[in-house]
Amino acid sequence: MYWNREIETMERAALETLQLQRLQDTVLRVAQRVPFYQERFAAAGFTPDDLRSLADVRRLPFTTGADLRATYPAGLLAVPLDDAVRLHTSSGTTGKPKALYFSRQDVDHAAELIARCLVMSGMHAGDVLQNIMTYGLFTGALVMHYGAEKVGCLVIPAGPGNSERQLMLMQDFRTTAIHATPSYALYFADFLEKKGVDPRKELSLRRAFVGAEPYTEETRRKIEAALGLQVFNSYGLSEMNGPGVAFECPQQHGMHLWEDHFLLEIIHPETGDPVPDGEQGELVLTTLCREAMPLLRYRTRDITTVLPEPCACGRTHRRIQRIAGRSDDMLIARGVNFYPQQIESILMGMPALGRNYLIVLEGLDELTVKVELAEAGFDGQVEHLARLQSRIADSIRAELLVKPKVDLVPPGTLPVSEGKAKRVLDKRSL
Amino acid sequence: MNAVRLIAVFAENKPGQTARITRLLAEANINIRWATIANNGAFGVLKFLVDKPDAAFHQLKQNGVMVTFLEALAVEVQDRPGALHTVAEALAHHQINLDNTSGYVADRNRAILIVEVQDVARAATVLEQHKLHLLSQAEMLQA
Ligand SMILES: [Zn+2]
């Protein structure tokens, strides 16, 4: 099933021709209208005529999150403010937010991309989508909302939290799909288990669109098993419309990134040099259809890999692997770099363990991993728990080359957040 | 086969955690007849023999405590030197590993050993062959 078969299955050569046209158009527009890019182009000695092939994109300057914060609240508008119909902001962990403006056409394009994603997953008119993301300045909920309406779904704008009410809505309106963060999906699964509700028998859920935080394959399988549905990995960021940038097809193997709307590059996060397909690096995106606020070579800080080989579903847009981490989230302990997701992946692969964990860095680079024990992991024998503890420590050491201290804790001991879970506590005083 | 049911609790090894468990049991009028605590760094496992195991299990579970049942053997021995040795030797002779054991003096000349092994049924058969008396849950609670 395709929403837009012509575009989604377009021959690569035609797609690349389209990309180049759109890139040239975008660059020309910002060169004429956006002072920020005019200055950057001048500093780099670049003129729009220099852009003759897609490879020339490397001659363009990068745009960073810091650039967007520095231009808050005016943003990097390429249209008169009157032509903008919506504002979103993206809050960083520190400092000022980023102001992101959408024209009417941008709002419509964002919905079009979501429609492609949902139909790709098998959704159609008549499905009921319960949108458990935060409505408001954050793009996650609204962009999905508009796209699902476009498909003809009944959209329930539930917003996050209040699990009792979520459950009531699912029962009363026979919700068939949810859009949620992985931490909320896990939290909700736990809530159902405690209430003794069997989602397979008592709910109509078939699909979950899960994104906004990186999560592992193990977490996906855990959500699928607990809720009795299929989880589709969703990737997006507010700077690029929010959700709908890249999304999984039924193969569940990498996310198709809509290349007619975004030009994708993978670079080495430190040197900025391109990384060959199949190798991990930072995702850099250039908007190709954005009207109000085009962004050139935006540094997403998300670490991923391009899967260049054709997909069995017939779509020609290349896939990216699930996000391995944020280059900002990278942790360094005892001189070794790693991402929290590497630890999560190990923990979620062990049935004796629960869903909550906390990575603590303290003192002189001491790494402690606290993880909740699952009901299935407790047989009353302290020796078995001690053995489990050393097995976890050994597995983590094999992956990171740093041996952590592992603390098993009872369920409910670690902080659970209904939104973005806090998984790292850095108490080092270095 | 006479075996006894213990309840085992997983708890953080932090001040007040044991008191929290015993308080919960007291609140439900549960009498603790025997207890052991094994700590391992950040956590500990507490084991109890109580007069009302189902009620105890329910009370703890309801209060969010991680709890499970364990089966163990309660072996009656004379309170004299070598009593534990008799039991240990009988089990060793049949290649049965003693996972855990602890004892208490029940009255003037009787002691009771709580014996935890992997295969409770086999250990029970072996001990009974050695003419050792295994207490039932009811006998144990009277002891
Ligand atoms: Zn595909």
Side-chain angles (χ1 to χ4, degrees):
Chain A
M1 279 294 291
Y2 303 96
W3 175 257
N4 187 339
R5 177 191 283 267
E6 193 195 327
I7 289 284
E8 292 176 46
T9 61
M10 196 175 219
E11 290 290 335
R12 286 296 309 175
L15 183 57
E16 284 166 19
T17 305
L18 182 66
Q19 284 186 308
L20 181 60
Q21 280 168 12
R22 289 180 172 176
L23 179 65
Q24 285 167 333
D25 173 68
T26 299
V27 167
L28 200 60
R29 276 190 298 121
V30 301
Q32 288 164 351
R33 302 182 191 172
V34 185
F36 170 86
Y37 283 119
Q38 287 165 350
E39 285 163 29
R40 290 287 167 100
F41 288 177
F46 173 87
T47 63
D49 292 340
D50 295 338
L51 200 64
R52 293 199 184 87
S53 73
L54 284 177
D56 290 335
V57 73
R58 282 178 219 138
R59 305 191 50 187
L60 293 170
F62 288 118
T63 310
T64 64
D67 294 330
L68 295 187
R69 277 191 202 93
T71 53
Y72 175 91
L76 298 176
L77 277 173
V79 296
L81 186 58
D82 284 354
D83 290 349
V85 300
R86 195 193 293 170
L87 172 80
H88 280 291
T89 66
S90 166
S91 55
T93 38
T94 51
K96 277 194 270 185
K98 305 161 194 161
L100 305 156
Y101 294 90
F102 291 64
S103 71
R104 192 171 303 282
Q105 191 191 78
D106 294 335
V107 169
D108 199 54
H109 280 163
E112 147 85 19
L113 297 187
I114 290 289
R116 286 187 203 171
C117 298
L118 295 183
V119 170
M120 175 162 69
S121 81
M123 295 277 279
H124 43 69
D127 265 298
V128 180
L129 176 78
Q130 192 159 325
N131 199 358
I132 311 182
M133 291 288 187
T134 305
Y135 279 81
L137 288 168
F138 171 57
T139 50
L142 272 178
V143 168
M144 174 62 76
H145 186 116
Y146 276 56
E149 282 184 354
K150 203 178 183 81
V151 173
C153 301
L154 174 67
V155 186
I156 306 176
N162 196 343
S163 299
E164 288 285 354
R165 194 183 59 187
Q166 301 287 358
L167 175 59
M168 185 196 77
L169 291 168
M170 282 176 198
Q171 287 168 329
D172 294 350
F173 300 100
R174 302 185 165 278
T175 301
T176 60
I178 58 169
H179 178 218
T181 61
S183 46
Y184 188 77
L186 288 172
Y187 178 86
F188 187 70
D190 212 47
F191 165 82
L192 289 186
E193 194 184 311
K194 283 200 183 104
K195 270 198 87 80
V197 174
D198 179 354
R200 284 178 177 78
K201 292 192 183 119
E202 297 170 56
L203 300 177
S204 314
L205 297 176
R206 297 185 61 193
R207 296 180 182 84
F209 309 114
V210 176
E213 300 165 354
Y215 61 108
T216 60
E217 187 59 26
E218 287 75 11
T219 299
R220 179 230 293 273
R221 297 302 170 202
K222 223 163 187 171
I223 296 171
E224 288 188 330
L227 292 178
L229 44 65
Q230 207 180 354
V231 168
F232 293 87
N233 199 355
S234 156
Y235 173 74
L237 62 165
S238 293
E239 297 87 324
M240 298 287 137
N241 298 352
V245 174
F247 213 83
E248 270 178 345
C249 68
Q251 303 290 320
Q252 289 185 312
H253 181 58
M255 299 174 281
H256 289 284
L257 191 141
W258 302 120
E259 293 187 81
D260 59 323
H261 278 253
F262 304 102
L263 185 71
L264 94 91
E265 297 170 77
I266 304 285
I267 62 159
H268 189 285
E270 271 140 42
T271 64
D273 293 336
V275 162
D277 277 1
E279 276 180 37
Q280 207 173 55
E282 181 182 331
L283 178 65
V284 171
L285 294 172
T286 299
T287 64
L288 295 176
C289 299
R290 223 1 133 58
E291 207 176 33
M293 200 168 138
L295 293 174
L296 304 182
R297 304 192 84 198
Y298 186 71
R299 300 282 302 258
T300 68
R301 302 282 167 202
D302 290 319
I303 303 293
T304 186
T305 308
V306 166
L307 301 171
E309 56 280 0
C311 182
C313 76
R315 286 173 185 83
T316 50
H317 299 239
R318 284 177 296 169
R319 289 163 296 158
I320 54 169
Q321 242 162 22
R322 65 173 54 253
I323 303 305
R326 299 265 308 160
S327 59
D328 300 342
D329 286 349
M330 193 175 75
L331 299 171
I332 304 179
R334 291 181 228 160
V336 174
N337 302 359
F338 62 95
Y339 297 104
Q341 287 73 28
Q342 288 174 277
I343 293 179
E344 177 177 321
S345 186
I346 291 165
L347 301 178
M348 295 298 155
M350 296 188 174
L353 302 178
R355 291 155 187 158
N356 276 318
Y357 68 93
L358 187 67
I359 297 166
V360 185
L361 293 157
E362 57 196 330
L364 291 169
D365 255 7
E366 293 302 318
L367 171 66
T368 303
V369 175
K370 292 175 184 283
V371 58
E372 290 182 3
L373 192 63
E375 289 292 338
F378 185 53
D379 65 358
Q381 302 299 350
V382 73
E383 299 79 10
H384 295 171
L385 297 177
R387 236 175 284 157
L388 175 62
Q389 225 169 226
S390 34
R391 218 171 70 226
I392 300 166
D394 290 344
S395 304
I396 292 175
R397 189 184 51 185
E399 167 81 19
L400 308 185
L401 308 175
V402 174
K403 186 160 185 168
K405 179 172 171 281
V406 173
D407 286 348
L408 290 172
V409 298
T413 313
L414 298 176
V416 181
S417 91
E418 293 197 19
K420 294 200 174 197
K422 289 274 170 286
R423 301 301 199 188
V424 181
L425 189 61
D426 197 341
K427 299 196 288 187
R428 285 175 297 190
S429 46
L430 293 174
Chain B
M1 175 191 74
N2 278 343
V4 293
R5 255 196 322 166
L6 307 178
I7 56 170
V9 168
F10 178 66
E12 273 184 288
N13 183 13
K14 269 190 185 168
Q17 288 303 306
T18 306
R20 179 172 166 249
I21 306 294
T22 50
R23 186 171 57 245
L24 285 170
L25 293 175
E27 278 166 13
N29 276 317
I30 286 153
N31 197 1
I32 301 170
R33 299 300 304 269
W34 166 92
T36 61
I37 300 175
N39 280 325
N40 185 308
F43 65 84
V45 174
L46 291 71
K47 292 176 192 167
F48 300 102
L49 175 76
V50 295
D51 55 350
K52 290 170 278 188
D54 289 314
F57 182 89
H58 188 67
Q59 161 80 348
L60 293 174
K61 190 111 193 150
Q62 239 186 358
N63 284 280
V65 176
M66 194 173 226
V67 57
T68 187
F69 283 120
L70 277 182
E71 224 180 16
L73 298 173
V75 191
E76 189 181 76
V77 291
Q78 296 299 310
D79 181 21
R80 59 168 171 76
L84 172 61
H85 179 70
T86 316
V87 172
E89 201 175 50
L91 293 174
H93 187 72
H94 291 85
Q95 316 290 322
I96 297 171
N97 233 1
L98 254 180
D99 284 348
N100 253 313
T101 184
S102 66
Y104 68 92
V105 177
D107 52 43
R108 233 172 309 159
N109 47 20
R110 227 163 43 113
I112 293 167
L113 295 176
I114 307 278
V115 173
E116 288 177 56
V117 291
Q118 286 288 316
D119 188 343
V120 175
R122 203 161 81 85
T125 312
V126 166
L127 294 174
E128 276 166 346
Q129 277 167 1
H130 282 77
K131 304 275 181 278
L132 286 158
H133 178 52
L134 303 180
L135 280 74
S136 68
Q137 188 94 4
E139 286 176 303
M140 181 70 194
L141 293 171
Q142 283 157 18

